[in-house]
Amino acid sequence: MPTPLYPASPSRLLAWLDCPRRYRMQYLDRPKPEARSQRAHTSVGIATHNVLRDFWDLPQSRRTPEGVAELVRTSWIDVGFRDPEQSASWRARVTESVVDYLRQVDRHRQPLGLERAVALRTDSITVTGRVDRLDDRDGTVVVVDYKTGRQAPSEDDARTSLPLALYAAGAARVFRRPCVRVELHHVPTRTVAAYEHTTESLERKIAEAESIAGDLRRVDADFAERGIESLSFTPRPSPLCTWCDFRAHCPEGQQMGPEKSDWAGLEAVDPSGLRSSVESIEEKP
């Protein structure tokens, strides 16, 4: 019998690279260990993404600052903040940043796709994901991914991003059009970090995903046979442990320092810690 294709998502692949134990708890353990409550920067990120999705459903007459403010009000998630005052302050900041971001967007040109599912199939894996926005520019498809963290992304971030490359390859196959340009749009600063892949660079990223998935196929099988006794999920302690949603179940992670507060992601730039947490909560199912 042929070997079934390994089903994966970009976030699943990255979770393994970050920490094998977190990967096990997040994707394999049943029942799944209880995760910590949602942090404030996660609430900000989800609300911002929802507003930027729903904006394009508004009629042209309501694509205004007032229309955006109403979307923020109805999409706001009041979870993880220090107090009601901090929540209200950040709601105002998100409203302002989204309005300023949309001022530089052609609001009369409807995107090709919003939170559009794309899929990629190779000889060994199938990857599915959901892209924040897909633009049609001169007959080509452009992948747009929104970022809301404190640190603006760089061109190198766009170049090295495994999810963006997989989204581009998937979008090209779904729409049967060229898709080589990927963009990270940092909403708070309106920074756009872009990279144009080549056929060769996309093939390298697909090969990287296949390699990671090969490791996951092996450890998933080991877990199915041995359960939590498997030795394949040694934790990888790092500064990310202070942000980890499963820290309460990992003694090694607890030794990496005190846990970050629910609102720490709003107060200080910590790119190493925020990257993992944001990738996790922005997983496209």
Side-chain angles (χ1 to χ4, degrees), residues 101-115:
Y101 168 78
L102 288 170
R103 291 188 193 280
Q104 66 182 15
V105 175
D106 185 350
R107 298 183 296 282
H108 301 287
R109 187 173 185 176
Q110 198 74 12
L112 182 64
L114 293 165
E115 293 197 1

Side-chain angles (χ1 to χ4, degrees), residues 10 118-120 131 134 141-144 161-183 195-198 201-202 205-206:
V118 296
L120 171 68
V131 187
L134 293 168
V141 182
V142 177
V143 171
V144 174
S161 171
L162 179 61
L164 290 185
L166 297 178
Y167 296 153
R173 300 190 186 193
V174 168
F175 290 95
R176 299 185 180 182
R177 299 190 207 175
C179 182
V180 294
R181 184 176 175 87
V182 296
E183 297 179 352
Y195 182 74
E196 293 204 9
H197 279 283
T198 63
S201 66
L202 286 177
K205 285 296 185 182
I206 293 172

